[in-house]
Amino acid sequence: MTNDAWDRAKGAIRKDIGAHNYTTWIEPLSFASLDEGTLTLASPTDFIGKWVMQNFEDVILRNVSGDGTEVARLVCGATGRRVAATSRPTTPDESTPRTRARTLNSLDRRFTFDSFIVGKSNELAHAAARRVAAGGSVSFNPLFLHGRVGLGKTHLMQAIAWELQVASPERKVMYLSAEQFMYRFVQALREKATMDFKHLFRTVDVLLVDDVQFIAGKDSTQEEFFHTFNALVDQGKQVVISADRSPAEISDLEERITSRLQSGLVVDLHPADYELRLGVLQHRVDTYAAQHPSFELEDGVIEFLATRINASIRVLEGAVMRLFAFAELVDHRITLEEAQDCLLDLLKQSEKKLTIEQIMKITCEHYALRMSDMTSARRARNVARPRQMAMWLAKKLTPRSYPEIGRKFGGRDHTTVLYAVRKIEELIADDPQVAEDAQLLQRKLEG
């Protein structure tokens, strides 16, 4: 077997395992020797070599066998690198794990900036992600994106990775979930390959870690993550993190990690408003229609769905996918009635009623009050103002009348509720802190 034969085999291996697994694990390998049925491949590190032998040995042996070549065993490790250097000198344009961008797991080709719909609820997160993806000096490090499931955190993280790989192929980019980081670290500990692990992660230019809340409570993984984070930031390398909540709200996360995560730009992706929901739905419909021109919705269907389904963007996209599948079955334009029947469960889920008791509970948690304070006669400012906020939220987020709300708040008169609503609206316009509290509480209740 020769270097050329190995290059041909790599093409077949790429088809079997996918482009990103190939780029991460197979491309860095080079042919060293073939002796008595044992194929020796040179690996940049022992960590990569061991991973390849554990996960890809069968597929490699299958694709290099043939044309009279019989291979029964694979040896892959950093020790073979010296052999490779004598049999195949490295040329300046060749790529190794230390000179080209790569990710540690597959990226979804749908998750690019072109397919990301921007609205008021995510425009800051989008702008920050764009800034990181543009390369060059960034004034904030790390970038921390947080928000509940389905609001676009992973989409933006992968969009950054895609953009950097295209615009700056010489930069080393790693994207992976916190769970994968933990798994690889534990494996490195088990195989006594921690130095290879450290080298792999601390020599990147951009590290993107998704769902970092999963390492909370995992002491050894948190320790390694903390040192990896510090090493990269101290070198001026960019770190991007995502989670389902802000750093301060992640329980069992070490205080020093929380502090470092808060030292950069922390951006909250809010639930989608009507305009963003409408934009997402229209984009998905246009995408399906471009692929299948027969897919068509009756006028008013998209607007109806944007109004009635206030769940995550992921749920909205799933709704359009379901309508598309339904359209293929019935083979005609989807009417509003048919859309309602097809998406009945999603519509019912979105109709779950928010109660005044729930509003009281969330408001009390926010202001550190007791539920009894909401119905008591106490007029102290630290009680009266939160009570007014809860009344305003009850009027804004429920169909209850002023008298009904008053009865829930200790039998108060409807004029008291009316005054509270007007007072909070005035304060929202004049007091930034009240406006922030109102926005935060509304997001919690609607989420």
Side-chain angles (χ1 to χ4, degrees), residues 34-45:
L34 176 60
D35 184 27
E36 297 183 352
T38 297
L39 171 64
T40 302
L41 299 176
S43 167
T45 68

Side-chain angles (χ1 to χ4, degrees), residues 9 33-34 59 114 135 162 190 244 272 287 300 339 346 366 373 390 406 434 437:
S33 66
L34 176 60
V59 71
D114 290 340
W162 279 120
R190 187 186 308 121
D244 61 358
T287 300
L346 295 181
H366 180 76
D373 290 327
V434 174
D437 287 346

Side-chain angles (χ1 to χ4, degrees), residues 266-396:
V266 179
V267 183
D268 183 4
L269 280 82
H270 304 159
D273 55 18
Y274 172 78
E275 288 76 14
L276 180 55
R277 295 197 297 269
L278 187 64
V280 169
L281 288 166
Q282 188 63 63
H283 174 75
R284 296 306 298 167
V285 169
D286 291 344
T287 300
Y288 282 119
Q291 299 170 358
H292 304 274
S294 61
F295 177 52
E296 188 177 1
L297 301 180
E298 185 179 74
D299 291 344
V301 171
I302 295 178
E303 291 77 8
F304 170 79
L305 296 179
T307 302
R308 291 289 300 278
I309 301 178
N310 55 12
S312 69
I313 291 174
R314 193 174 298 164
V315 172
L316 292 171
E317 293 178 334
V320 179
M321 182 181 297
R322 193 185 300 187
L323 288 178
F324 174 70
F326 180 68
E328 286 190 317
L329 294 175
V330 299
D331 196 26
H332 66 241
R333 186 189 211 191
I334 302 299
T335 66
L336 178 57
E337 291 75 16
E338 288 173 328
Q340 288 176 296
D341 289 340
C342 182
L343 304 174
L344 184 61
D345 59 323
L346 295 181
L347 295 173
K348 283 185 176 180
Q349 184 178 353
S350 296
E351 286 176 353
K352 289 181 179 178
K353 298 296 189 295
L354 182 66
T355 67
I356 293 177
E357 287 77 10
Q358 289 173 318
I359 293 173
M360 288 180 175
K361 181 177 181 294
I362 295 297
T363 305
C364 285
E365 290 175 354
H366 180 76
Y367 289 105
L369 298 176
R370 300 184 300 270
M371 279 289 283
S372 59
D373 290 327
M374 289 287 125
T375 57
S376 72
R378 294 179 62 192
R379 295 188 177 184
R381 184 188 181 95
N382 67 325
V383 174
R385 187 55 47 75
R387 186 191 297 131
Q388 290 174 333
M389 177 67 76
M391 291 180 179
W392 175 80
L393 289 164
K395 186 58 184 172
K396 183 177 180 63

Side-chain angles (χ1 to χ4, degrees), residues 22-42:
Y22 171 84
T23 301
T24 302
W25 303 110
I26 305 301
E27 192 175 46
L29 308 178
S30 58
F31 173 74
S33 66
L34 176 60
D35 184 27
E36 297 183 352
T38 297
L39 171 64
T40 302
L41 299 176

Side-chain angles (χ1 to χ4, degrees), residues 200-216:
L200 186 66
F201 280 90
R202 298 183 190 184
T203 57
V204 300
D205 295 305
V206 182
L207 176 65
L208 304 103
V209 181
D210 215 350
D211 292 322
V212 78
Q213 72 271 6
F214 286 115
I215 70 169

